[in-house]
Amino acid sequence: MEWREFEDLVAKIFEANDFKVEKRVIFKNGRKHEIDLVATRFDKVFCVDCKCWGMGRYKKTSLKKAAEKQLERCLKFKEVKGLKQPVYSLIITLHEEDLIFHGKTVFVPLSKLNSFLNEFEMYEIEAV
């Protein structure tokens, strides 16, 4: 699957769960930043990075770097937009695994995204 198809599929899953979705959100805060998807429903905002890379021997390091960069983008997005509601940092992957929590960023496998959104309240995820 190509990255654009992957992003479109993730957007469709959010839309099927009654989220308003903006794709490829670009903003400036000192420098240019891009968030793959911003999904909003009620008082929650999800900043989503779609990663269709595989996991090799450097998995732990790759996850940590991706989580830190995504969290930074989320914080800057919230600041630039002046948002008061909770913003959640998500990375959606093709890699089949359980949910992985790194700081305030959650890695969600594509196959578990729908159930994650439906059961979101049961997870104690810290917003930015």
Side-chain angles (χ1 to χ4, degrees):
M1 179 182 311
E2 268 197 42
W3 66 269
R4 204 171 288 263
E5 293 172 309
F6 183 52
E7 287 179 6
D8 290 342
L9 179 57
V10 171
K12 286 178 185 177
I13 293 170
F14 273 97
E15 290 167 345
N17 283 279
D18 298 322
F19 282 84
K20 178 182 171 249
V21 176
E22 294 178 70
K23 297 179 188 176
R24 299 169 199 83
V25 177
I26 297 171
F27 62 97
K28 287 189 178 185
N29 181 342
R31 63 182 184 95
K32 183 174 135 180
H33 301 277
E34 181 175 351
I35 296 176
D36 294 341
L37 303 171
V38 175
T40 308
R41 181 174 73 180
F42 307 122
D43 67 336
K44 293 177 185 65
V45 177
F46 291 90
C47 291
V48 181
D49 192 21
C50 300
K51 295 284 189 200
C52 52
W53 32 253
M55 297 300 196
R57 64 186 225 203
Y58 301 110
K59 174 183 160 188
K60 190 173 182 178
T61 303
S62 298
L63 292 176
K64 183 180 177 187
K65 285 181 184 178
E68 290 167 357
K69 287 181 180 179
Q70 179 64 359
L71 182 60
E72 179 185 340
R73 284 189 293 269
C74 289
L75 289 166
K76 290 181 187 285
F77 177 77
K78 185 173 183 175
E79 179 184 326
V80 166
K81 297 295 184 178
L83 299 176
K84 301 294 182 214
Q85 64 263 54
V87 174
Y88 298 94
S89 175
L90 296 181
I91 297 178
I92 311 302
T93 68
L94 280 176
H95 186 64
E96 198 54 47
E97 198 167 321
D98 289 332
L99 298 181
I100 298 172
F101 296 83
H102 180 80
K104 294 182 180 181
T105 300
V106 183
F107 289 84
V108 181
L110 178 64
S111 64
K112 295 180 178 151
L113 179 56
N114 192 59
S115 62
F116 172 79
L117 294 174
N118 287 317
E119 300 167 356
F120 178 75
E121 299 302 328
M122 73 178 241
Y123 299 101
E124 295 187 20
I125 299 171
E126 193 176 349
V128 297

